[in-house]
Amino acid sequence: MMKMLPFFQSGPFGIRSGSEGCIDANRPFENTSASVAEQVPACPEPSADEIWSREEKMREMPGAACRASRASSITSNESCISAGDSPEKGSKGLKGMLKSAFKIVKKTKPPSVKQVMDLLGEQKLCDAIQHLFVLEKTLSSKSEEGLNTSQKDIESVYEVLKHKVFSTLKDSVQLAKTNPDLLQQAVEALKEQEKEDQNYMLENPPDQNMQFRPRKWKELWMTTVKESVEARMKDTSRTPRTENLSAVGQDLLHMGKTMKEDLTVVAKYINKLYPPEFNVFSIYAELYHNYFASQAKKSAESHLEDKDIYLLLSWVHNFYPKDMRKDHALAMELDKVKLGSLLPSSLSKELENKYLDSEEVTVKNSLSRCLDKEVQRWKEDKEPEKLNGHFQSELLGILVIQSIYSSQKRAEDISKAVGEELSHRLLKELPAFLRSYRDAFEDFREKSKKHRYYKPILIANVNNCWNFREYMEKYMAERDDSKADILSTLTDIENSGFDVLLQQLFAQLKPMFKKFTENKWDSSSEIMNEIIKTTSEHILDFKTLKDPFYHAIIEKIHARLVKEYIVRLLKRKVSLKTPGQQQTLAQHISKNAADLEAFCTSNGSQATWLNSALPKLAEIIRLQDLGAIKIEVATLATTYPDIRKRHLEAFLHIKANLSRSELKSILGYLADSTASTQPRAPLFSNINVS
């Protein structure tokens, strides 16, 4: 009998002062096929968060929602007696209270079917289910009161109650914030039914179970949650359409957004309503995941556009495992569940390969189109644009690298592994593109010499090489097999451009250098001044090269000037017998060397390795002591290891006062002292001696 006391209590958890606007207590139950969320208007006040906070403590108490609010008992004439007062004045203590309670129960009539239906019409689900329990017990006990109610009557009411409870539970995600009281009543009704099933199973052997027990509402709850999840994941109308997003992309966006938002509600609100054994969050999460994964698999196995493959892979590797965990409360719950990936690894790998193959072809075609457009620009009667005073070609300088970089970045956004694989593929594609670029450049160089902007176009293409060099140094590993190939091709393009740019200058300088030997170094200062003046005029055009290439071409000029000067000294046109004559020539050479060094340095040459060549040769001419000459020759050979015996022999022709044996001794010393290592840059090896 003590178990039955709660069944006579009234005042459901969900209906309290201030809630009249949420539920119309007088409105009868209408359409049983419609969801409760549709029939019950949302309560504007108080807010869901306020209600959750206010009732947090109550939820910690077992059965609080159904029992704590019942402060009075329903008597046979529907009058209430305070649960805390003793109905009999003479009774005292716990024994007296128990006797009073039993007397109340004996005098109390069980609720009628009509009363239960009225409670359901008022959305008092907790009271309704407790009253139904009483009706079930009176029927099973075959008491006088139970004769007025049939099992069919009870089952009919149960069907109405079940519909209301599970319609409410199906709308849990919506009602958790708009009408949390009603949702909590539905959950409590479910919990009470589950307890009643358990009690019945304990009290009755399995072979004596009645037709209507156990009712297995928990299993029905599982089915209802699954239906709710699938309905919400299918209802794409709730997610606004995103412009330029395909149908596949829109579906992925909707499912991801719905899953994240709904699971956040489950974690923060719904999860608290159920006892731990229901594993509410885990069940919801797995159902959402399974539906999302099944749809993702279905999409992956269909024919997808390239952009949809990218989107699906982004969801598999990036958005799904990472974006879902941005909410802290949700992340904590998800970490307990371990949902896994949206796609099986084999299917994911298959999609990745499709994406990589497609992206590789796309970038290759893009590079080819860029080169075609660039070649067309060369044919236009138009000077290349300048940026910071340097000629440049935007198409190759920016678009090619941008195409490669953006493709790599997009792949990295999928996953690090996909990004690395695509980078490896594209960096193999770059050498082939640069070879095509070099061939097109060579064709222009040979066939377009009369073009109005021939030199500016050459300079613009040399400048383009710097963009590729920077990209390669930043993104390619030192040991990458493609790196040497790329560097070699870029150097070919640069040197090809330099050769054309310097061709006219070197052609003008050649007859000027001949004057040194023709005049036997008379007026050598005037000749050097003329050389410097002519070179200065050409250098102005080279200012439109980017700084690294400007310094490179100045270094080439510096090396050419020093080389041409040495060539004149090795021509065997001058032979001086007296130390005085040799001293004078040495002074001329030293003066010319100083002027040459000052000019090249002032114009940005960084080829300091060239500065000692002419002064050392001048010193050999000046010296007369055989031992001192040998030491200076050894120093010269150490600094410029590419000097050979034929070079030194031609040069020593100037010192006509050396005997044959002295000359042989000096030459022999050079053979012993010459280093076998290659020089930093060639100087003497580029000089032919006749």
Side-chain angles (χ1 to χ4, degrees), residues 109-152:
K109 290 183 180 181
S112 66
V113 169
K114 181 180 183 305
Q115 286 177 310
V116 178
M117 290 298 291
D118 289 343
L119 289 172
L120 289 175
E122 296 169 5
Q123 306 293 354
K124 297 180 179 180
L125 306 181
C126 287
D127 283 346
I129 196 167
Q130 296 287 12
H131 285 46
L132 274 173
F133 291 163
V134 174
L135 283 173
E136 277 189 293
K137 290 184 183 296
T138 58
L139 186 66
S140 61
S141 64
K142 298 182 180 179
S143 64
E144 182 181 344
E145 295 85 349
L147 297 176
N148 297 322
T149 305
S150 68
Q151 185 67 46
K152 184 178 180 181

Side-chain angles (χ1 to χ4, degrees), residues 35-317:
S35 72
V36 172
E38 294 171 347
Q39 296 191 49
V40 181
C43 177
E45 293 184 346
S47 71
D49 290 332
E50 290 171 342
I51 293 173
W52 291 120
S53 175
R54 189 169 63 195
E55 293 162 357
E56 183 66 32
K57 292 182 179 179
M58 292 186 67
R59 281 199 215 72
E60 296 172 1
M61 299 171 61
C66 277
R67 292 188 288 274
S69 65
R70 296 184 177 85
S72 60
S73 300
I74 303 176
T75 62
S76 59
N77 59 358
E78 297 186 347
S79 63
C80 294
I81 298 176
S82 172
D85 295 335
S86 173
E88 297 182 9
K89 296 180 181 178
S91 299
K92 293 182 180 179
L94 178 61
K95 185 176 180 181
M97 293 173 66
L98 290 172
K99 287 181 179 180
S100 300
F102 279 117
K103 288 181 180 180
I104 293 169
V105 170
K106 289 178 181 179
K107 294 178 183 179
T108 302
K109 290 183 180 181
S112 66
V113 169
K114 181 180 183 305
Q115 286 177 310
V116 178
M117 290 298 291
D118 289 343
L119 289 172
L120 289 175
E122 296 169 5
Q123 306 293 354
K124 297 180 179 180
L125 306 181
C126 287
D127 283 346
I129 196 167
Q130 296 287 12
H131 285 46
L132 274 173
F133 291 163
V134 174
L135 283 173
E136 277 189 293
K137 290 184 183 296
T138 58
L139 186 66
S140 61
S141 64
K142 298 182 180 179
S143 64
E144 182 181 344
E145 295 85 349
L147 297 176
N148 297 322
T149 305
S150 68
Q151 185 67 46
K152 184 178 180 181
D153 294 334
I154 292 175
E155 293 308 315
S156 297
V157 178
Y158 255 124
E159 283 302 311
V160 177
L161 172 63
K162 184 169 70 171
H163 172 79
K164 283 183 172 287
V165 168
F166 286 98
S167 293
T168 301
L169 294 176
K170 189 170 184 178
D171 291 338
S172 292
V173 175
Q174 289 173 262
L175 295 174
K177 301 184 87 174
T178 60
N179 201 339
D181 286 348
L182 179 61
L183 175 60
Q184 187 162 7
Q185 283 198 74
V187 173
E188 291 299 333
L190 169 65
K191 289 158 59 177
E192 291 299 322
Q193 186 71 274
E194 189 66 16
K195 287 178 185 176
E196 194 69 15
D197 272 352
Q198 292 172 0
N199 291 336
Y200 184 86
M201 297 295 288
L202 289 173
E203 294 171 0
N204 296 275
D207 58 342
Q208 294 183 13
N209 288 352
M210 62 184 290
Q211 181 181 357
F212 304 104
R213 283 285 175 193
R215 295 189 180 272
K216 300 181 180 180
W217 274 23
K218 188 175 180 181
E219 294 180 12
L220 184 56
W221 170 77
M222 293 275 290
T223 302
T224 301
V225 172
K226 183 178 180 182
E227 290 173 355
S228 173
V229 168
E230 291 181 355
R232 293 182 66 79
M233 292 290 270
K234 288 177 182 177
D235 185 11
T236 57
S237 63
R238 295 187 302 105
T239 302
R241 291 206 63 81
T242 301
E243 190 177 358
N244 298 326
L245 195 60
S246 67
V248 172
Q250 186 68 31
D251 286 346
L252 291 170
L253 175 62
H254 164 71
M255 289 189 291
K257 183 174 181 288
T258 299
M259 180 175 176
K260 181 180 179 181
E261 291 176 353
D262 290 4
L263 286 183
T264 301
V265 172
V266 174
K268 290 183 177 180
Y269 303 110
I270 299 175
N271 201 31
K272 300 175 182 179
L273 300 177
Y274 292 83
E277 59 266 22
F278 271 73
N279 294 319
V280 173
F281 184 85
S282 176
I283 287 172
Y284 267 96
E286 287 174 3
L287 287 171
Y288 275 104
H289 171 80
N290 292 341
Y291 185 86
F292 201 165
S294 68
Q295 296 304 304
K297 185 173 183 289
K298 192 179 295 183
S299 294
E301 291 173 342
S302 65
H303 177 71
L304 290 175
E305 299 290 334
D306 292 343
K307 61 181 179 180
D308 289 331
I309 292 176
Y310 176 80
L311 279 174
L312 183 52
L313 286 173
S314 295
W315 274 101
V316 170
H317 292 297

